[in-house]
Amino acid sequence: MKNTNSNTSIRLEKYNVLDKMFDRLIRESLNTMNDNYDDRWETYDLILYELKREFNYITYDEIKYRLTDGENINDVFYDIILRGEYSSSLIWLFKRRIEEYIEEDFYNRFY
């Protein structure tokens, strides 16, 4: 059974359209992916958790906008990590993991 708990709800306010679209995107992705991609969503979820812990809601909303617009999830998170200044070292540890995901996807496209 896949873990569908995510850090998508960050505020106690009502959901807006973006929140609903993002939640639907996550649910659809979790339902259609194979077990090899479970660890990826755990990584993304931990990054979202760290952003939430740092009260970095602007970056959090940017991720939601970019993903619901159809951008590649690895590219979005990698870009966010590279240009951000985060107090949590955990986010920087995930940088290498996302680089591995990008490399794996590139390899899988051709082989």
Side-chain angles (χ1 to χ4, degrees):
M1 173 122 192
K2 293 182 175 112
N3 179 10
T4 57
N5 294 333
S6 66
N7 288 302
T8 58
S9 58
I10 58 172
R11 303 178 198 138
L12 297 176
E13 302 169 3
K14 294 180 181 179
Y15 275 158
N16 60 24
V17 174
L18 175 64
D19 294 328
K20 290 176 185 176
M21 289 175 60
F22 188 65
D23 285 345
R24 184 177 33 198
L25 173 76
I26 289 177
R27 270 187 264 120
E28 289 172 0
S29 297
L30 289 174
N31 289 332
T32 59
M33 73 178 178
N34 58 26
D35 290 334
N36 295 335
Y37 290 95
D38 263 351
D39 60 335
R40 290 183 180 208
W41 273 105
E42 288 177 17
T43 301
Y44 306 141
D45 195 45
L46 287 170
I47 293 170
L48 292 173
Y49 174 76
E50 289 299 316
L51 291 173
K52 191 168 65 168
R53 231 179 49 146
E54 292 185 6
F55 303 104
N56 195 342
Y57 299 124
I58 294 172
T59 303
Y60 190 89
D61 285 342
E62 179 185 346
I63 290 172
K64 291 195 297 188
Y65 276 113
R66 291 176 66 180
L67 291 179
T68 55
D69 283 344
E71 287 190 48
N72 182 301
I73 191 166
N74 294 320
D75 295 338
V76 170
F77 278 98
Y78 190 70
D79 179 54
I80 293 296
I81 290 172
L82 286 181
R83 64 184 169 87
E85 294 184 21
Y86 305 107
S87 60
S88 170
S89 60
L90 187 60
I91 290 180
W92 292 106
L93 291 175
F94 290 128
K95 176 182 174 272
R96 178 65 189 139
R97 189 175 290 178
I98 292 176
E99 288 172 344
E100 292 170 357
Y101 297 157
I102 292 170
E103 186 176 318
E104 180 183 339
D105 289 347
F106 182 77
Y107 180 79
N108 288 338
R109 284 180 49 201
F110 296 105
Y111 298 102

